[in-house]
Coordinates of all heavy atoms in Angstrom, one line a residue:
M1 N 15.5 0.7 48.0 CA 15.2 -0.6 48.3 C 13.7 -0.9 48.2 O 12.9 0.0 48.5 CB 15.6 -1.0 49.8 CG 17.0 -0.9 50.1 SD 18.0 -2.2 49.3 CE 17.6 -3.7 50.2
I2 N 13.3 -2.0 47.7 CA 11.9 -2.4 47.5 C 11.5 -3.2 48.7 O 12.2 -4.1 49.1 CB 11.8 -3.2 46.2 CG1 12.1 -2.3 45.0 CG2 10.3 -3.7 46.1 CD1 12.0 -3.1 43.7
S3 N 10.4 -2.8 49.3 CA 9.9 -3.5 50.4 C 9.2 -4.8 49.9 O 9.0 -5.0 48.8 CB 8.8 -2.7 51.2 OG 7.7 -2.6 50.5
S4 N 9.0 -5.8 50.9 CA 8.4 -7.0 50.5 C 7.0 -6.9 49.9 O 6.6 -7.6 49.1 CB 8.4 -8.0 51.7 OG 7.6 -7.5 52.7
R5 N 6.3 -5.9 50.4 CA 4.9 -5.6 49.9 C 5.0 -5.1 48.5 O 4.2 -5.6 47.6 CB 4.2 -4.6 50.8 CG 2.8 -4.3 50.4 CD 2.1 -3.4 51.4 NE 0.7 -3.2 51.0 CZ 0.3 -2.3 50.1 NH1 1.2 -1.5 49.5 NH2 -0.9 -2.2 49.8
E6 N 5.9 -4.2 48.2 CA 6.1 -3.7 46.9 C 6.5 -4.8 45.9 O 6.1 -4.9 44.8 CB 7.1 -2.5 46.8 CG 6.6 -1.3 47.5 CD 7.7 -0.2 47.6 OE1 8.9 -0.6 47.6 OE2 7.3 1.0 47.7
E7 N 7.4 -5.7 46.4 CA 7.9 -6.8 45.6 C 6.8 -7.7 45.2 O 6.7 -8.2 44.1 CB 9.0 -7.5 46.3 CG 9.7 -8.6 45.5 CD 10.8 -9.2 46.3 OE1 11.4 -8.7 47.2 OE2 11.2 -10.4 45.8
S8 N 5.9 -8.0 46.2 CA 4.8 -8.9 45.9 C 3.8 -8.3 44.9 O 3.3 -9.0 44.1 CB 4.1 -9.4 47.2 OG 3.1 -8.6 47.6
L9 N 3.6 -7.0 45.1 CA 2.8 -6.3 44.1 C 3.3 -6.3 42.7 O 2.6 -6.5 41.7 CB 2.5 -4.8 44.5 CG 1.6 -4.6 45.7 CD1 1.6 -3.1 46.1 CD2 0.2 -5.0 45.3
L10 N 4.7 -6.1 42.6 CA 5.3 -6.2 41.3 C 5.2 -7.6 40.7 O 4.9 -7.8 39.5 CB 6.8 -5.8 41.4 CG 7.1 -4.3 41.5 CD1 8.5 -4.1 41.8 CD2 6.6 -3.6 40.3
L11 N 5.4 -8.6 41.5 CA 5.3 -10.0 41.0 C 3.9 -10.3 40.6 O 3.7 -11.0 39.5 CB 5.7 -11.0 42.1 CG 7.2 -11.0 42.4 CD1 7.5 -11.9 43.6 CD2 8.0 -11.6 41.2
D12 N 2.9 -9.9 41.4 CA 1.5 -10.1 41.0 C 1.1 -9.4 39.7 O 0.4 -10.0 38.8 CB 0.5 -9.7 42.1 CG 0.6 -10.6 43.3 OD1 1.1 -11.7 43.2 OD2 0.2 -10.1 44.4
S13 N 1.6 -8.2 39.5 CA 1.2 -7.5 38.3 C 2.0 -8.1 37.1 O 1.4 -8.1 36.0 CB 1.6 -6.0 38.4 OG 3.0 -5.8 38.6
A14 N 3.2 -8.6 37.3 CA 3.9 -9.3 36.2 C 3.1 -10.5 35.8 O 3.0 -10.9 34.6 CB 5.3 -9.6 36.6
K15 N 2.6 -11.3 36.7 CA 1.8 -12.5 36.4 C 0.6 -12.2 35.6 O 0.2 -12.9 34.7 CB 1.5 -13.2 37.7 CG 2.6 -13.9 38.4 CD 2.2 -14.6 39.7 CE 3.3 -15.2 40.5 NZ 2.9 -15.8 41.7
I16 N -0.1 -11.1 36.1 CA -1.3 -10.7 35.4 C -1.0 -10.3 33.9 O -1.7 -10.7 33.0 CB -2.0 -9.6 36.2 CG1 -2.6 -10.2 37.5 CG2 -3.2 -9.0 35.3 CD1 -3.1 -9.1 38.4
A17 N 0.1 -9.5 33.8 CA 0.4 -9.0 32.5 C 0.8 -10.1 31.5 O 0.4 -10.1 30.4 CB 1.6 -8.0 32.6
S18 N 1.6 -11.1 32.1 CA 2.0 -12.2 31.2 C 0.8 -13.1 30.8 O 0.7 -13.5 29.7 CB 3.1 -13.0 31.9 OG 2.6 -13.6 33.0
S19 N -0.1 -13.3 31.7 CA -1.3 -14.1 31.3 C -2.1 -13.4 30.3 O -2.7 -14.1 29.4 CB -2.1 -14.5 32.6 OG -2.7 -13.4 33.1
K20 N -2.3 -12.1 30.4 CA -3.0 -11.3 29.4 C -2.3 -11.4 28.1 O -3.0 -11.5 27.0 CB -3.2 -9.9 29.9 CG -4.3 -9.7 31.0 CD -4.5 -8.3 31.3 CE -5.5 -8.1 32.4 NZ -5.7 -6.7 32.7
A21 N -1.0 -11.3 28.1 CA -0.2 -11.4 26.8 C -0.4 -12.7 26.1 O -0.6 -12.8 24.9 CB 1.2 -11.0 27.1
V22 N -0.4 -13.8 26.9 CA -0.5 -15.1 26.4 C -1.9 -15.3 25.8 O -2.1 -15.8 24.7 CB -0.3 -16.2 27.5 CG1 -0.7 -17.6 27.0 CG2 1.2 -16.2 27.9
R23 N -3.0 -14.8 26.5 CA -4.3 -14.9 26.0 C -4.5 -14.1 24.7 O -5.2 -14.6 23.8 CB -5.3 -14.5 27.1 CG -5.8 -15.6 27.9 CD -7.0 -15.1 28.8 NE -6.4 -14.5 30.0 CZ -6.8 -13.4 30.5 NH1 -7.9 -12.8 30.1 NH2 -6.2 -12.9 31.6
S24 N -4.0 -12.9 24.7 CA -4.1 -12.1 23.5 C -3.4 -12.8 22.3 O -3.9 -12.8 21.2 CB -3.5 -10.7 23.7 OG -4.2 -10.0 24.7
S25 N -2.2 -13.3 22.5 CA -1.4 -14.0 21.5 C -2.2 -15.2 20.9 O -2.2 -15.4 19.7 CB 0.0 -14.4 21.9 OG 0.7 -13.2 22.3
M26 N -2.8 -16.0 21.8 CA -3.5 -17.1 21.4 C -4.7 -16.7 20.6 O -5.1 -17.3 19.6 CB -4.0 -18.0 22.6 CG -2.9 -18.7 23.3 SD -2.2 -20.0 22.3 CE -1.1 -20.8 23.4
A27 N -5.4 -15.6 21.0 CA -6.6 -15.1 20.3 C -6.2 -14.6 18.9 O -7.0 -14.8 18.0 CB -7.3 -14.0 21.1
L28 N -5.0 -14.1 18.8 CA -4.6 -13.6 17.5 C -4.0 -14.7 16.6 O -3.6 -14.5 15.4 CB -3.5 -12.5 17.7 CG -4.1 -11.2 18.2 CD1 -2.9 -10.3 18.6 CD2 -5.0 -10.5 17.3
G29 N -3.9 -15.9 17.1 CA -3.4 -17.0 16.3 C -1.9 -17.1 16.3 O -1.3 -17.6 15.3
L30 N -1.2 -16.5 17.3 CA 0.3 -16.5 17.2 C 0.9 -17.6 18.1 O 0.3 -18.1 19.0 CB 0.8 -15.2 17.9 CG 0.3 -13.9 17.2 CD1 0.7 -12.7 18.0 CD2 0.8 -13.8 15.8
T31 N 2.0 -18.1 17.7 CA 2.7 -19.1 18.4 C 3.5 -18.5 19.5 O 4.2 -17.4 19.3 CB 3.7 -19.9 17.4 OG1 2.9 -20.5 16.4 CG2 4.4 -21.0 18.2
I32 N 3.5 -19.1 20.7 CA 4.2 -18.6 21.8 C 5.4 -19.5 22.1 O 5.2 -20.8 22.1 CB 3.3 -18.6 23.1 CG1 2.1 -17.7 22.8 CG2 4.0 -18.1 24.3 CD1 1.0 -17.8 23.8
K33 N 6.5 -19.0 22.4 CA 7.7 -19.8 22.8 C 8.0 -19.6 24.3 O 8.0 -18.5 24.8 CB 8.9 -19.3 22.0 CG 8.8 -19.7 20.5 CD 10.0 -19.4 19.7 CE 9.7 -19.7 18.3 NZ 10.3 -18.9 17.4
V34 N 8.1 -20.7 25.0 CA 8.3 -20.7 26.4 C 9.5 -21.6 26.8 O 9.9 -22.5 26.0 CB 7.1 -21.1 27.2 CG1 6.0 -20.1 27.1 CG2 6.6 -22.5 26.9
I35 N 10.1 -21.4 27.9 CA 11.1 -22.3 28.4 C 10.5 -23.1 29.6 O 10.0 -22.6 30.5 CB 12.4 -21.5 28.9 CG1 13.0 -20.7 27.8 CG2 13.4 -22.4 29.6 CD1 14.1 -19.8 28.2
R36 N 10.6 -24.4 29.4 CA 10.1 -25.4 30.4 C 11.0 -26.6 30.5 O 11.4 -27.2 29.5 CB 8.7 -25.9 29.9 CG 7.6 -25.7 30.9 CD 6.4 -26.3 30.4 NE 5.5 -25.3 29.9 CZ 4.5 -25.4 29.1 NH1 4.2 -26.6 28.6 NH2 3.7 -24.4 28.8
D37 N 11.4 -26.9 31.7 CA 12.3 -28.0 32.0 C 13.5 -28.1 31.1 O 13.8 -29.1 30.5 CB 11.5 -29.3 31.9 CG 10.3 -29.4 32.9 OD1 10.5 -28.8 34.0 OD2 9.3 -30.0 32.5
H38 N 14.2 -27.0 31.0 CA 15.4 -26.9 30.2 C 15.2 -27.2 28.7 O 16.0 -27.8 28.0 CB 16.5 -27.9 30.7 CG 16.9 -27.6 32.1 ND1 17.5 -26.4 32.5 CD2 16.6 -28.3 33.3 CE1 17.7 -26.4 33.8 NE2 17.1 -27.5 34.3
E39 N 14.0 -26.8 28.2 CA 13.7 -26.9 26.8 C 13.0 -25.7 26.3 O 12.3 -25.1 27.1 CB 12.7 -28.1 26.5 CG 13.3 -29.5 26.8 CD 12.3 -30.6 26.6 OE1 11.1 -30.3 26.8 OE2 12.8 -31.7 26.3
I40 N 13.3 -25.3 25.0 CA 12.5 -24.2 24.4 C 11.3 -24.9 23.7 O 11.6 -25.7 22.8 CB 13.4 -23.4 23.5 CG1 14.5 -22.7 24.2 CG2 12.5 -22.3 22.8 CD1 15.5 -22.0 23.4
I41 N 10.1 -24.5 24.0 CA 8.9 -25.1 23.5 C 8.1 -24.1 22.8 O 7.9 -22.9 23.3 CB 8.1 -25.7 24.7 CG1 8.9 -26.8 25.4 CG2 6.8 -26.3 24.2 CD1 8.3 -27.3 26.6
A42 N 7.6 -24.4 21.6 CA 6.6 -23.6 20.9 C 5.2 -24.1 21.1 O 5.0 -25.3 20.9 CB 7.0 -23.6 19.4
V43 N 4.4 -23.2 21.6 CA 3.0 -23.6 21.8 C 2.1 -22.9 20.8 O 2.1 -21.7 20.7 CB 2.5 -23.1 23.2 CG1 1.1 -23.6 23.5 CG2 3.4 -23.7 24.3
N44 N 1.5 -23.7 19.9 CA 0.7 -23.2 18.8 C -0.7 -22.8 19.4 O -1.1 -23.2 20.4 CB 0.5 -24.3 17.8 CG 1.9 -24.6 17.1 OD1 2.7 -23.7 16.8 ND2 2.2 -25.8 16.9
P45 N -1.4 -22.0 18.6 CA -2.8 -21.6 19.1 C -3.7 -22.7 19.3 O -4.6 -22.6 20.1 CB -3.3 -20.7 17.9 CG -2.0 -20.3 17.2 CD -1.0 -21.3 17.4
D46 N -3.5 -23.8 18.7 CA -4.4 -25.0 18.9 C -3.9 -25.8 20.1 O -4.4 -26.9 20.3 CB -4.5 -25.9 17.7 CG -3.2 -26.5 17.3 OD1 -2.1 -26.1 17.8 OD2 -3.2 -27.3 16.4
R47 N -3.0 -25.2 20.9 CA -2.4 -25.8 22.1 C -1.5 -27.0 21.9 O -1.1 -27.7 22.8 CB -3.5 -26.3 23.1 CG -4.4 -25.1 23.5 CD -3.8 -24.3 24.5 NE -4.8 -23.3 25.0 CZ -4.5 -22.2 25.6 NH1 -3.2 -21.8 25.7 NH2 -5.4 -21.4 26.0
S48 N -1.1 -27.3 20.6 CA -0.1 -28.3 20.3 C 1.2 -27.8 20.7 O 1.5 -26.6 20.6 CB -0.2 -28.7 18.8 OG 0.2 -27.7 18.0
I49 N 2.1 -28.7 21.1 CA 3.4 -28.3 21.6 C 4.5 -29.0 20.8 O 4.4 -30.1 20.4 CB 3.6 -28.8 23.1 CG1 2.6 -28.0 24.0 CG2 5.0 -28.6 23.6 CD1 2.6 -28.5 25.4
K50 N 5.6 -28.2 20.5 CA 6.7 -28.7 19.7 C 8.0 -28.2 20.4 O 8.1 -27.0 20.7 CB 6.7 -28.1 18.3 CG 7.8 -28.5 17.5 CD 7.8 -27.9 16.1 CE 9.0 -28.2 15.3 NZ 9.1 -27.5 14.1
V51 N 8.8 -29.2 20.7 CA 10.1 -28.9 21.4 C 11.1 -28.4 20.3 O 11.3 -29.1 19.3 CB 10.7 -30.1 22.1 CG1 12.1 -29.8 22.6 CG2 9.8 -30.6 23.1
I52 N 11.5 -27.1 20.5 CA 12.4 -26.5 19.5 C 13.9 -27.0 19.7 O 14.6 -27.4 18.8 CB 12.3 -25.0 19.5 CG1 10.9 -24.6 19.1 CG2 13.4 -24.4 18.6 CD1 10.6 -23.1 19.2
R53 N 14.3 -26.9 21.0 CA 15.6 -27.4 21.3 C 15.8 -27.5 22.8 O 15.0 -26.9 23.6 CB 16.8 -26.5 20.8 CG 16.9 -25.2 21.4 CD 18.1 -24.4 20.8 NE 18.3 -23.2 21.7 CZ 19.4 -22.8 22.1 NH1 20.5 -23.4 21.7 NH2 19.5 -21.7 22.8
K54 N 16.8 -28.3 23.2 CA 17.1 -28.5 24.6 C 18.1 -27.5 25.1 O 19.0 -27.1 24.3 CB 17.5 -29.9 24.9 CG 16.4 -30.9 24.7 CD 16.9 -32.3 25.1 CE 15.8 -33.3 24.8 NZ 14.7 -33.3 25.8
I55 N 18.0 -27.0 26.3 CA 19.0 -26.1 26.8 C 19.9 -26.9 27.8 O 19.4 -27.5 28.8 CB 18.3 -24.9 27.6 CG1 17.4 -24.2 26.6 CG2 19.4 -24.0 28.2 CD1 16.5 -23.1 27.3
S56 N 21.2 -26.8 27.6 CA 22.1 -27.6 28.5 C 22.2 -26.8 29.8 O 22.3 -25.5 29.8 CB 23.4 -27.8 27.9 OG 24.0 -26.5 27.6
K57 N 22.3 -27.5 30.9 CA 22.5 -26.8 32.2 C 24.0 -26.3 32.3 O 24.9 -27.1 31.9 CB 22.3 -27.8 33.3 CG 20.8 -28.1 33.6 CD 20.6 -28.9 34.8 CE 20.5 -28.0 35.9 NZ 20.1 -28.7 37.2
P58 N 24.2 -25.1 32.7 CA 25.5 -24.6 32.8 C 26.3 -25.3 33.9 O 25.7 -25.6 34.9 CB 25.4 -23.1 33.1 CG 24.0 -23.0 33.7 CD 23.2 -24.1 33.1
S59 N 27.6 -25.4 33.8 CA 28.4 -26.0 34.8 C 29.1 -25.0 35.6 O 30.4 -24.9 35.5 CB 29.4 -27.0 34.2 OG 30.2 -26.4 33.3
I60 N 28.4 -24.1 36.3 CA 29.0 -23.1 37.1 C 29.1 -23.5 38.5 O 28.1 -24.0 39.1 CB 28.1 -21.8 37.0 CG1 28.1 -21.3 35.6 CG2 28.6 -20.7 37.9 CD1 27.1 -20.1 35.4
D61 N 30.2 -23.3 39.1 CA 30.4 -23.6 40.5 C 29.9 -22.4 41.3 O 30.5 -21.4 41.5 CB 31.9 -23.8 40.9 CG 32.1 -24.1 42.3 OD1 31.2 -24.6 43.0 OD2 33.3 -24.0 42.8
V62 N 28.6 -22.6 41.8 CA 27.9 -21.5 42.5 C 28.6 -21.1 43.8 O 28.5 -20.0 44.3 CB 26.5 -22.0 42.8 CG1 25.7 -20.9 43.5 CG2 25.8 -22.4 41.5
S63 N 29.3 -22.1 44.4 CA 30.0 -21.8 45.7 C 31.1 -20.7 45.5 O 31.4 -20.0 46.5 CB 30.6 -23.0 46.3 OG 31.6 -23.5 45.5
A64 N 31.6 -20.5 44.3 CA 32.7 -19.5 44.1 C 32.1 -18.2 43.7 O 32.9 -17.2 43.6 CB 33.6 -20.0 43.0
L65 N 30.8 -18.1 43.6 CA 30.2 -16.8 43.2 C 30.1 -15.9 44.4 O 29.7 -16.3 45.5 CB 28.9 -17.0 42.5 CG 28.9 -17.7 41.2 CD1 27.5 -17.9 40.7 CD2 29.7 -17.0 40.2
R66 N 30.3 -14.6 44.2 CA 30.2 -13.6 45.3 C 29.3 -12.5 44.8 O 29.2 -12.2 43.6 CB 31.5 -13.0 45.7 CG 32.5 -14.1 46.3 CD 32.0 -14.5 47.6 NE 32.9 -15.5 48.2 CZ 32.6 -16.8 48.3 NH1 31.4 -17.2 48.0 NH2 33.4 -17.7 48.8
K67 N 28.7 -11.8 45.7 CA 27.8 -10.6 45.3 C 28.6 -9.6 44.6 O 29.7 -9.2 45.1 CB 27.2 -10.1 46.6 CG 26.2 -9.0 46.3 CD 25.5 -8.5 47.6 CE 24.6 -7.4 47.3 NZ 23.9 -7.0 48.5
G68 N 28.1 -9.1 43.5 CA 28.8 -8.0 42.8 C 29.7 -8.5 41.6 O 30.2 -7.7 40.9
M69 N 29.8 -9.8 41.5 CA 30.7 -10.4 40.4 C 30.0 -10.2 39.1 O 28.8 -10.2 39.0 CB 31.0 -11.9 40.7 CG 31.9 -12.1 41.8 SD 32.2 -13.9 42.0 CE 33.3 -14.2 40.7
I70 N 30.8 -10.1 38.1 CA 30.2 -9.9 36.7 C 30.5 -11.2 36.0 O 31.7 -11.6 35.9 CB 30.8 -8.7 36.0 CG1 30.4 -7.4 36.8 CG2 30.3 -8.6 34.6 CD1 31.1 -6.2 36.2
L71 N 29.5 -11.9 35.4 CA 29.7 -13.1 34.7 C 29.6 -12.7 33.2 O 28.8 -12.0 32.7 CB 28.6 -14.1 35.0 CG 28.5 -14.5 36.4 CD1 27.4 -15.5 36.6 CD2 29.8 -15.2 36.9
E72 N 30.5 -13.3 32.4 CA 30.5 -13.1 31.0 C 30.4 -14.4 30.3 O 31.0 -15.4 30.7 CB 31.8 -12.4 30.5 CG 32.0 -11.0 31.0 CD 33.2 -10.3 30.5 OE1 33.8 -10.8 29.5 OE2 33.6 -9.3 31.1
R73 N 29.5 -14.5 29.3 CA 29.3 -15.7 28.5 C 30.4 -15.8 27.4 O 30.6 -14.8 26.7 CB 27.9 -15.7 27.9 CG 27.6 -16.9 27.2 CD 26.2 -16.9 26.7 NE 25.9 -18.1 26.0 CZ 24.9 -18.3 25.3 NH1 23.9 -17.4 25.2 NH2 24.7 -19.4 24.7
K74 N 30.9 -16.9 27.2 CA 31.9 -17.1 26.2 C 31.3 -17.7 25.0 O 30.4 -18.4 25.0 CB 33.1 -18.0 26.7 CG 33.9 -17.4 27.8 CD 35.0 -18.3 28.2 CE 35.9 -17.6 29.2 NZ 37.0 -18.4 29.6

């Protein structure tokens, strides 16, 4: 089991790593793709944004889900 302190350290290190990756990609002139507000967005090195496509919200009844269930995408 991971303690809450270890979990917060992992989250903080993930945030730092992702921000460094974004900065490096921008410096190299690469386009970054992110998911924001149910859309896949391409962010160009000049900070211009292009919506690639919208992601539909799944219609899953969360109340029927139980711990340990396996979901399969059709």
Side-chain angles (χ1 to χ4, degrees):
M1 295 293 286
I2 296 177
S3 70
S4 63
R5 182 176 183 276
E6 290 173 333
E7 185 176 340
S8 92
L9 284 173
L10 285 172
L11 288 172
D12 290 341
S13 63
K15 287 178 187 178
I16 292 168
S18 64
S19 67
K20 285 183 179 181
V22 168
R23 267 189 277 136
S24 297
S25 296
M26 290 292 188
L28 291 171
L30 301 174
T31 301
I32 300 170
K33 292 182 181 148
V34 295
I35 297 175
R36 232 185 257 160
D37 299 327
H38 303 291
E39 294 177 331
I40 299 176
I41 298 172
V43 181
N44 295 318
D46 62 351
R47 304 281 188 202
S48 62
I49 295 174
K50 178 183 176 189
V51 176
I52 296 175
R53 73 178 186 134
K54 295 189 182 281
I55 302 171
S56 61
K57 286 185 88 173
S59 59
I60 296 175
D61 181 19
V62 181
S63 65
L65 296 178
R66 299 287 178 249
K67 184 176 180 179
M69 290 181 76
I70 298 173
L71 300 176
E72 293 183 16
R73 184 175 178 190
K74 291 183 179 181

